Amino acid sequence: QLQLVESGGGLVQPGGSLRLSCAASGLTLDYCVGWFRQAPGKEREGVSYITTGGTTNYADSVKGRFTIFRDNAKSSVYLQMNSLKPEDTAVYFCAVTLSPFCSTAVPSNYDYWGQGTQVTVSS
């Protein structure tokens, strides 16, 4: 069964950058891969996704600051986060959907999930 492992989270000051990694094992990334986040006391929200063909999508809250990209040779997907804000603080999850519906507005559409990595943006 497909397993996903996130890494790269940590503590960063506002305006700083982090790169999150999502490594897959068991299966190749033949479908959309999404990034989600969940802040304390809030529901999980979609951040970004990338299709197998390289099409990308971003939530309005991160557009222009975050970039999602693939390294197929490493079976990995990355989320480059720049100009981080305190409101970006959350546990970040990567996920894979087996369906053709890739929108991260519907988290239940995603079938496989990593365990999450904590991102804290604070001065």
Side-chain angles (χ1 to χ4, degrees):
Q1 185 171 315
L2 179 66
Q3 296 183 354
L4 304 172
V5 179
E6 303 97 336
S7 62
L11 175 64
V12 65
Q13 293 186 339
S17 298
L18 286 173
R19 180 179 291 182
L20 305 184
S21 299
C22 175
S25 63
L27 294 174
T28 59
L29 300 179
D30 296 326
Y31 304 96
C32 291
V33 178
W35 282 98
F36 300 79
R37 65 187 183 185
Q38 187 164 21
K42 301 192 68 176
E43 295 183 349
R44 189 168 299 185
E45 65 173 340
V47 175
S48 179
Y49 70 79
I50 186 168
T51 71
T52 185
T55 300
T56 60
N57 179 273
Y58 302 92
D60 288 341
S61 59
V62 307
K63 195 171 299 180
R65 300 188 297 120
F66 291 11
T67 303
I68 188 171
F69 59 98
R70 289 180 180 265
D71 185 340
N72 290 332
K74 297 180 179 179
S75 297
S76 296
V77 171
Y78 304 90
L79 186 68
Q80 178 67 45
M81 306 186 296
N82 299 324
S83 302
L84 283 162
K85 305 175 181 179
E87 51 262 45
D88 295 318
T89 295
V91 177
Y92 283 71
F93 302 87
C94 65
V96 171
T97 178
L98 303 181
S99 82
F101 183 48
C102 302
S103 175
T104 51
V106 187
S108 62
N109 188 54
Y110 279 75
D111 302 290
Y112 297 93
W113 293 79
Q115 294 300 304
T117 185
Q118 177 71 48
V119 172
T120 302
V121 185
S122 176
S123 60

